[in-house]
Amino acid sequence: MAAPMSGVGEASAERSSFNATSFQKKTRSRLISIPGTRPSVQNGQLLVSTGVTSLDYLLGGGLAVGTVLLIEEDRYDSYSRMILKYFLAEGVVCRHELFVAAAQDNPDDILQELPAPILDDVAIHKPVEQPRLSCEPQDSMDAMKIAWRYQNLPKVQSALASSSRFGHYYDVSKTMEPEIRQAAKCHRFYLPEHPTQSSPTHSTMLESYSALLKSLQDVIHREGFDVAAPMTKSRNILRIGLHSLGSALWGDDLCCHDNPNNVHALTSFLYGLRALLRSSLSVAVVTVPSHLIQDRALMGSITRLCDNAIALESFKGSERETNPLYKDYHGLLHVRQVPHLNCLASKLPDHKDLAFKLKRKQFSIEPVGAEGRVLMDLCEEQSESLERRGEA
């Protein structure tokens, strides 16, 4: 009777050890450890930072890997271009790979304009001198505290020492040093350097968009960003920046006619782009000149084909530029859409009235004050009543 009992004990021990191992796999194996990323506290999705901490907060903690952020450009493409550069600069600091596509400006010119990172934990510390003897014991104690504080710090730290952090700050008044920028691997797509060829088969996608999507597919499969690819090396994130899609420079006529011929060209591209990102460790930021697209229904379809969507309304050249209610801001930010990933309902921003401003060194997004909003509503009501009286 002893043998069967021992066999049962061994089997139960093996079963308990197997259960413990399977339990560890469920909690550990699905979490991918990549610098510059963190799991979402809401749905467990892997997040990356946009480079603007206030925008990360609005989007629920950051951009989810495998999603698309749509930015509706302001009229002069100043602030939308700046957010795109923030997004790419964050990728450089986090050692992510970049893919930059443009039709007007060369991607190298965009990369040379990336803002310089503000790394507060980077410093060159000089050797601490011995504190001089003082007649007052309090002065000597303060000197000893300072010496003890710095004695364990290294003398020289790397320029990318804080790349393991999630989200950084940048100085828009300075450009990134070439040594830091050139350390990142970047893939470029400049439309004039990719001559398009007319395809014999009928397709709703333009040749320029087809060439761009084909280039993205090649980079994702060749560099190992595909989730199904074998893990031959450490995983990394591919940050994709696509500038001013839908403009005439891409061969699209969405912004030129009320009834464009290529009405489904951009939507077909976004559909293929999102399908490609869903199965890869990639995240994309796309800017579109929505103020030039007359068809609002088409713009709604473009928005729904992206996961996140924000719109920038600049005060430059408008009446609000001289309005005292907006003297502290440079424009309004509208959240068009937030993603529904692994959850039934997404987290909406706490404030719907958002404004952005460009300080001397930093771009930030803030909620408009309640008093200012009330005054703005009153002004709009007064202007509407005046218009009604004039019509009467």
Side-chain angles (χ1 to χ4, degrees), residues 15 63 67 71 99 104 112 132 159 161 205 232 242 253 255 282 304 315 323 354 364-365 383:
R15 191 181 301 110
L63 281 178
T67 61
I71 301 178
F99 184 98
Q104 179 180 3
Q112 290 178 1
R132 292 178 297 176
M205 192 182 302
T232 57
L242 309 180
D253 60 348
C255 304
S282 308
R304 287 188 294 271
F315 294 156
N323 193 326
L354 302 168
S364 62
I365 302 170
S383 62

Side-chain angles (χ1 to χ4, degrees), residues 16 45 55 104 106 120 204-205 257 309 355:
S16 61
Q45 193 79 17
L55 182 57
Q104 179 180 3
N106 195 305
D120 53 357
T204 58
M205 192 182 302
H257 306 285

Side-chain angles (χ1 to χ4, degrees), residues 299-359:
M299 193 60 216
S301 300
I302 294 173
T303 301
R304 287 188 294 271
L305 283 172
C306 300
D307 301 288
N308 308 270
I310 61 173
L312 301 178
E313 180 185 353
S314 175
F315 294 156
K316 188 175 181 180
S318 64
E319 297 179 353
R320 293 180 176 179
E321 187 177 9
T322 57
N323 193 326
L325 299 177
Y326 301 106
K327 62 180 180 179
D328 297 330
Y329 305 104
H330 293 91
L332 298 177
L333 185 141
H334 308 281
V335 180
R336 303 292 193 200
Q337 183 170 292
V338 290
H340 298 74
L341 300 173
N342 300 335
C343 59
L344 297 176
S346 58
K347 181 180 182 300
L348 296 176
D350 297 333
H351 303 274
K352 294 183 179 181
D353 304 319
L354 302 168
F356 62 85
K357 61 181 178 180
L358 179 61
K359 301 178 183 178

Side-chain angles (χ1 to χ4, degrees), residues 168-241:
H168 300 80
Y169 295 94
Y170 298 89
D171 185 355
V172 296
S173 63
K174 300 178 182 178
T175 57
M176 186 177 293
E177 296 180 0
E179 294 79 7
I180 301 178
R181 186 179 66 250
Q182 295 172 2
K185 188 174 182 180
C186 181
H187 309 274
R188 300 164 180 83
F189 183 93
Y190 187 39
L191 185 59
E193 297 178 355
H194 291 75
T196 57
Q197 299 178 357
S198 59
S199 57
T201 59
H202 177 72
S203 176
T204 58
M205 192 182 302
L206 288 174
E207 288 79 9
S208 57
Y209 294 153
S210 299
L212 176 58
L213 192 62
K214 179 66 168 56
S215 180
L216 269 172
Q217 289 176 344
D218 294 341
V219 170
I220 289 176
H221 296 312
R222 183 178 67 250
E223 300 298 329
F225 293 105
D226 196 346
V227 176
M231 295 183 61
T232 57
K233 58 180 181 180
S234 59
R235 292 288 193 176
N236 201 356
I237 300 295
L238 177 65
R239 288 176 176 251
I240 303 170

